[in-house]
Amino acid sequence: MATIELINVEKKFGDVHAVKPMNLTVRDGEFVVLLGPSGCGKTTTLRMISGLEAVTGGQILLNGRDVTWERPSDRDIAFVFQFFALYSHMTARENIAFPLQAQGERREVVRQRVEEVSRLLRMEHVLDVRPGALSGGDQQRVALARALVRRPAAFLMDEPLGALDADFRETMRAEIKRLHIDQHATTVYVTHDQIEAMAMGDRIVVMSDADVQQVGTPAEVYHDPANLFVARFIGSPGMNLVPGRYVRGVLHLAEGATYKVPDAWAPSLDAATRGDGDLILGFRPEAATVGVDSAIPATVYATDLHGGYTMLHLELGNNTIIHARTTREAKYAINTPVRFDLDPAMVRFFDPATEAAIIPEVRA
Amino acid sequence: MSNVTLRHITKRFKDVTALDDVSFDIRDGEFFVLLGHTGAGKTTTLRVIAGLERQDGGDVLFDEEPVNTFAPADRDIAFVFQQYSLYPNMTVFDNLAFPLRSPKRKTPADEIQARVTEVAEKLRITHLLDRKTARLSGGEMQRVSIGRAIVRQPRIYLMDEPLSNLDAKLREALRVELQHLQKTEGSTTLFVTHDQIEALTMADRIAVLNAGRIVQIGTPYDIYDHPATTFVAQLVGIPRINLLRATRENGTLHVPDSTVRLDIPPGKTLPETFLLGIRPEDVRPTSGGALQGEVALTEPLGVETVIHIRSGKHILLSIVPGITDLKIGDPVAFSIVQERLHTFDLNGVRVGE
């Protein structure tokens, strides 16, 4: 259906960059998520792709064709917003049919396509209802159906689930992904919710401060974040980050605790610090295991039951709290001293000065 | 601090019964969470305890003494709201000190200094003490609001969704702080929320409220492992519990139009038709699994993956550690943890135990 290419695309408001020069290729049939906190430039990027916002520089190609200066309506792209803009005086059916009728499509074709798309979204039963009488989830289904009915070359979605409550969001998240798998329409999806991005995206573009921080699959941004921002932003809670001083194979943490780095890492860390320097140790909560003979001492700060598992919050001294995921049966009183170890395959290191991940020469 | 008892509280607004015979006990030093959807009556309960609303029936007792006739100011409570209500032109220090400086309390200056310093340290806002609150971030403001409540030691803290307006990362961090603080101070706290994760992670005990009535009271483990009704079962747990209509046939239970057929665990007496609840972590894809299905969708979340397993006409949600190799369309064998099955009658009331 469509590829989308951004070549050095940027947006400035006065002297301020809303989006710094950015390169991205969205492959045909791919679901790409633009993820970041509010103000990071993700929505501006989406609006530039749609044509609602003019670029300050760079080029946008749709199927290899330069559309940078084409009007939104000429781009064959459908836009789904967070706030469903439905016509309140029309039924769901009339709302969905509207874009086709506006194109002058024959009545028979309109009827067929509306039925097709409403079957796909399992909403046949609400077709004759007006938006005002529909639930939030059904209203968003109508909005989606109205975008889908045109069979555009690509979809742009701006936080389409943002206004729904948690339950519905989960259901609709799966539905949109299901729909994407059935239709294989090229999709660019904007969200600030990292769980949504992980669950839905083939690839995720993590943005912050008007700049792309990393482009990668969910597994890549989770296990190999490019920098501290991505490490913190992805995951709930984010990656544990513990500062220390690295001296020849050993990381000295706060209050005399030490961590012997996995052997495979030593050459890369020696090179990065010239044998002696500050580093940040990073690991996911599931990489830490509490045990009596373990290496790193800590005290229990709080414990949380999350239903299927328990999260231990451990204090390492000098105000560093780390999170360790453990079984739901684990119970510890606050202020209990414990020790923990790290799965050597799951530790990462960052340069505190540049905040970038240190790339290992040999993967542990 | 105090223990607080609600006895048969009823509250009506015109024709609408907001609270219908609500009774519970908050023990001294307990972190008690009221959990329910919007409109369930959570905030009304809080306001009745505070004296901001007068109940139509029943009693509120502090340390076994009725306080029904006490004005809010005489109940010695401290409130934290969803919206921060700080004085924008005062520094963080002065905001924190404000409750201690009230003419009723007349706290000596050195005591104010000591207490504010202590609270600021606990909430990690010492570096903000000289700043005007108008110049703080949302997370910092909410820390100060919490600080202003806990700077005094009232009989009970009442917290009305104090974390709702914060972004996910801040909410997570403050959840941990609040829990630590409450445990180390031993304060009696009533915390109101619609967020099941806040309830599960922080509470000593949870009261689930629905349409003005208490549905269940218990520890997080009780609520998650033994939900009294399908309402409670669906309210807690992400992803949601799988809930399917099932039938009993001789010694087995069967979900019509699906591949799910299981032996009925010994000692479980079930009606002929009932609702079967299975938590996603109890649906386990495994090569030796006796049940067959097909992967309909996978949602990698990093630490775990949600797998939608098609079983006949139904979809079962399963959650597995890590990032799965399973692909959409793959056949998948799975098992279900029998000891953790939940069964409810067709009215949604737990049965079979």
Side-chain angles (χ1 to χ4, degrees):
Chain A
M1 290 205 354
T3 58
I4 301 169
E5 279 169 87
L6 275 62
I7 305 167
N8 290 323
V9 167
E10 66 177 312
K11 179 72 190 182
K12 282 170 111 173
F13 293 108
D15 288 339
V16 182
H17 262 118
V19 178
K20 290 183 184 157
M22 166 172 178
N23 290 288
L24 176 72
T25 302
V26 183
R27 300 178 201 121
D28 183 27
E30 197 178 20
F31 196 113
V32 167
V33 178
L34 304 181
L35 170 70
S38 53
C40 73
K42 56 190 192 298
T43 296
T44 307
T45 306
L46 196 75
R47 289 172 60 84
M48 288 192 289
I49 299 173
S50 73
L52 293 172
E53 194 81 63
V55 305
T56 309
Q59 270 182 305
I60 296 169
L61 310 185
L62 189 62
N63 278 329
R65 182 169 61 91
D66 189 334
V67 298
T68 316
W69 298 104
E70 277 187 11
R71 281 181 305 180
S73 55
D74 295 335
R75 296 192 185 193
D76 197 17
I77 289 177
F79 213 118
V80 184
F81 297 94
Q82 173 172 2
F83 299 102
F84 0 91
L86 299 174
Y87 299 106
S88 57
H89 63 285
M90 293 183 183
T91 62
R93 185 194 306 277
E94 288 160 351
N95 266 285
I96 300 167
F98 189 79
L100 294 179
Q101 285 165 344
Q103 282 173 11
E105 209 48 86
R106 282 189 300 120
R107 192 180 304 171
E108 186 49 32
V109 176
V110 173
R111 195 186 57 81
Q112 238 176 38
R113 293 265 284 278
V114 170
E115 272 172 23
E116 230 174 77
V117 77
S118 50
R119 205 163 39 237
L120 204 61
L121 285 165
R122 286 180 280 146
M123 49 174 291
E124 297 108 309
H125 59 290
V126 302
L127 280 180
D128 296 315
V129 182
R130 292 208 176 133
L134 293 174
S135 68
D138 282 336
Q139 288 188 27
Q140 194 58 309
R141 280 199 182 88
V142 177
L144 265 179
R146 197 169 61 179
L148 279 169
V149 78
R150 279 176 46 200
R151 294 186 185 160
F155 283 107
L156 306 179
M157 303 195 187
D158 188 6
E159 307 240 8
L161 310 184
L164 306 180
D165 67 31
D167 262 350
F168 256 131
R169 213 154 53 221
E170 247 177 80
T171 311
M172 289 300 290
R173 182 177 91 194
E175 272 186 40
I176 292 178
K177 185 161 182 182
R178 185 72 248 168
L179 200 68
H180 173 75
I181 286 155
D182 291 342
Q183 306 251 306
H184 266 286
T186 308
T187 304
V188 184
Y189 186 102
V190 161
T191 183
H192 68 280
D193 180 345
Q194 58 92 19
I195 293 179
E196 219 167 274
M198 292 286 287
M200 299 176 86
D202 293 320
R203 285 190 301 154
I204 300 171
V205 179
V206 185
M207 296 183 72
S208 160
D209 288 337
D211 212 354
V212 173
Q213 305 294 317
Q214 184 170 6
V215 181
T217 62
E220 284 165 356
V221 297
Y222 186 76
H223 287 298
D224 294 300
N227 56 38
L228 291 178
F229 177 83
V230 180
R232 284 193 193 102
F233 198 76
I234 302 283
S236 47
M239 190 176 257
N240 293 303
L241 298 166
V242 183
R245 185 163 187 89
Y246 176 81
V247 186
R248 291 180 303 281
V250 176
L251 196 63
H252 297 261
L253 309 171
E255 301 188 354
T258 57
Y259 173 67
K260 187 186 172 307
V261 308
D263 291 341
W265 274 96
S268 330
L269 301 183
D270 284 339
T273 61
R274 298 200 189 91
D276 182 351
D278 290 336
L279 279 182
I280 291 173
L281 165 70
F283 58 93
R284 294 286 175 196
E286 63 273 26
T289 314
V290 173
V292 255
D293 300 325
S294 299
I296 309 171
T299 13
V300 176
Y301 191 76
T303 71
D304 293 351
L305 175 70
H306 284 249
Y309 65 95
T310 291
M311 193 68 86
L312 283 178
H313 307 277
L314 306 176
E315 188 163 20
L316 292 192
N318 77 359
N319 274 338
T320 307
I321 306 270
I322 66 112
H323 316 287
R325 193 170 154 124
T326 179
T327 59
R328 65 197 306 280
E329 288 76 27
K331 284 174 189 167
Y332 295 89
I334 284 176
N335 293 332
T336 309
V338 292
R339 307 181 77 85
F340 69 93
D341 267 328
L342 300 177
D343 176 351
M346 290 192 74
V347 299
R348 300 292 180 263
F349 296 91
F350 300 86
D351 179 336
T354 63
E355 304 206 340
I358 294 168
I359 311 295
E361 289 165 16
V362 189
R363 183 39 44 90
Chain B
M1 306 287 284
S2 296
N3 62 58
V4 171
T5 305
L6 269 68
R7 231 182 250 158
H8 307 298
I9 295 289
T10 302
K11 173 73 192 169
R12 279 180 293 271
F13 294 105
K14 289 184 183 155
D15 296 340
V16 181
T17 303
L19 296 177
D20 187 1
D21 196 18
V22 167
S23 296
F24 57 78
D25 251 310
I26 307 171
R27 299 169 195 151
D28 189 7
E30 191 173 36
F31 199 128
F32 193 89
V33 174
L34 264 184
L35 173 68
H37 294 307
T38 312
K42 307 185 296 288
T43 299
T44 306
T45 307
L46 212 67
R47 291 173 61 83
V48 165
I49 296 173
L52 298 170
E53 296 283 355
R54 183 68 195 271
Q55 69 270 25
D56 296 308
D59 297 306
V60 178
L61 301 94
F62 285 13
D63 294 321
E64 286 79 45
E65 179 204 2
V67 294
N68 299 329
T69 55
F70 288 25
D74 299 327
R75 294 194 186 195
D76 193 18
I77 50 161
F79 238 115
V80 184
F81 297 98
Q82 182 174 349
Q83 312 288 348
Y84 345 106
S85 45
L86 299 174
Y87 300 101
N89 292 318
M90 287 187 193
T91 62
V92 169
F93 186 98
D94 289 335
N95 266 283
L96 292 177
F98 193 82
L100 301 176
R101 286 177 179 151
S102 97
K104 262 177 86 173
R105 295 201 179 79
K106 291 190 195 121
T107 318
D110 54 342
E111 202 180 313
I112 291 178
Q113 180 73 39
R115 185 64 191 155
V116 168
T117 310
E118 186 191 339
V119 163
E121 259 166 38
K122 285 207 161 121
L123 285 162
R124 296 157 195 267
I125 50 176
T126 308
H127 59 293
L128 302 174
L129 282 175
D130 296 330
R131 219 173 291 169
K132 293 258 165 62
T133 55
R135 304 188 48 199
L136 301 178
S137 71
E140 290 166 343
M141 285 210 236
Q142 198 55 305
R143 278 175 199 258
V144 179
S145 307
I146 292 167
R148 201 172 54 179
I150 66 169
V151 76
R152 290 200 303 120
Q153 305 205 302
R155 302 180 83 171
I156 184 169
Y157 296 122
L158 302 176
M159 304 198 180
D160 194 1
E161 307 241 10
L163 309 183
S164 297
N165 279 349
L166 305 176
D167 73 34
K169 286 275 162 356
L170 270 173
R171 220 158 45 221
E172 264 169 25
L174 268 177
R175 233 165 47 204
V176 176
E177 299 288 350
L178 264 181
Q179 196 202 128
H180 180 82
L181 200 70
Q182 192 273 338
K183 284 283 163 296
T184 48
E185 298 249 308
S187 51
T188 309
T189 305
L190 176 60
F191 186 101
V192 157
T193 183
H194 68 279
D195 181 343
Q196 55 99 23
I197 275 293
E198 285 179 7
L200 280 183
T201 55
M202 293 194 292
D204 290 318
R205 286 189 307 147
I206 300 169
V208 179
L209 202 58
N210 184 29
R213 285 167 176 267
I214 298 281
V215 188
Q216 186 172 3
I217 299 178
T219 66
Y221 284 94
D222 292 337
I223 300 284
Y224 191 82
D225 294 340
H226 304 283
T229 65
T230 49
F231 176 82
V232 179
Q234 290 180 294
L235 189 65
V236 296
I238 290 182
R240 250 197 208 212
I241 193 167
N242 296 291
L243 201 59
L244 303 153
R245 208 182 165 96
T247 57
R248 172 172 57 81
E249 290 160 20
N250 302 319
T252 65
L253 65 83
H254 174 57
V255 176
D257 300 320
S258 88
T259 59
V260 176
R261 191 177 284 279
L262 300 165
D263 290 336
I264 294 175
K268 220 171 169 68
T269 337
L270 293 170
E272 210 158 299
T273 34
F274 57 95
L275 297 168
L276 177 65
I278 313 163
R279 296 265 179 219
E281 64 270 23
D282 299 327
V283 179
R284 301 196 176 157
T286 159
S287 51
L291 307 173
Q292 300 301 317
E294 184 193 294
V295 177
L297 196 67
T298 62
E299 299 181 283
L301 307 180
V303 61
E304 55 202 5
T305 302
V306 181
I307 304 175
H308 298 234
I309 299 176
R310 179 168 292 119
S311 163
K313 286 185 183 170
H314 297 284
I315 296 276
L316 286 174
L317 295 189
S318 161
I319 193 150
V320 299
I323 289 176
T324 178
D325 296 328
L326 288 168
K327 298 267 176 297
I328 293 166
D330 284 355
V332 59
F334 63 99
S335 62
I336 288 170
V337 184
Q338 299 235 14
E339 310 79 74
R340 297 184 45 82
L341 292 180
H342 303 267
T343 45
F344 306 93
D345 67 20
L346 295 181
N347 296 319
V349 177
R350 192 173 186 87
V351 291
E353 279 185 347

